[in-house]
Amino acid sequence: MSSGLERPPPKKDVFLALLEGPSVFLHLDPRRPGVDVPAWFKDRHQLVLQVGLNMAVAIPDLKADEEGVHCTLSFNRAPHACLLPWSAIYAIVGEDQRGMVWPADVPPEVAAQMRQPAPRPAPA
């Protein structure tokens, strides 16, 4: 019998399963401790990075371990060695739109946006 309180699967497991596709979109809070991305992203409440093993531009050092995702990504054509701790990642989505959100890790600003009703289209 399900209590509805099951723990979500580990982020690493979801990431590795989705990594079999062309690429994965990591939704993260770059303000969290341990995140290493270019400085101009550090004051944002959300950042989406595309990573993968089968992308047109290869990421040869892409790896996932118990800490998080490590890889060198290009920002404005400049390489940056990124560290993306699991604690900072709140959603992982594949190109096929399969993925998962960890609600406890969603930044409050993003959660507030998600609670806003979608705008209605103007009548034609």
Side-chain angles (χ1 to χ4, degrees):
M1 182 161 160
S2 172
S3 67
L5 299 175
E6 291 85 19
R7 295 180 64 123
K11 295 173 187 178
K12 180 182 174 186
D13 293 351
V14 172
F15 176 74
L16 293 174
L18 292 174
L19 199 57
E20 294 177 10
S23 68
V24 175
F25 296 91
L26 300 174
H27 297 252
L28 64 127
D29 183 346
R31 304 169 298 182
R32 291 276 184 101
V35 174
D36 189 352
V37 294
W40 63 84
F41 292 118
K42 294 297 278 181
D43 63 345
R44 296 184 181 189
H45 58 267
Q46 66 179 336
L47 177 63
V48 180
L49 298 175
Q50 184 178 16
V51 301
L53 296 173
N54 302 311
M55 295 174 59
V57 177
I59 305 173
D61 64 344
L62 177 63
K63 73 172 191 164
D65 60 21
E66 298 311 311
E67 284 184 55
V69 177
H70 311 261
C71 55
T72 301
L73 299 177
S74 179
F75 299 90
N76 293 332
R77 299 188 181 173
H80 186 93
C82 296
L83 172 57
L84 314 169
W86 296 122
S87 61
I89 296 170
Y90 61 87
I92 303 172
V93 182
E95 285 189 29
D96 61 2
Q97 302 302 306
R98 290 183 313 133
M100 182 157 229
V101 175
W102 287 262
D105 295 328
V106 174
E109 300 90 341
V110 175
Q113 289 173 341
M114 290 168 41
R115 286 191 294 269
Q116 298 281 331
R120 292 181 171 213

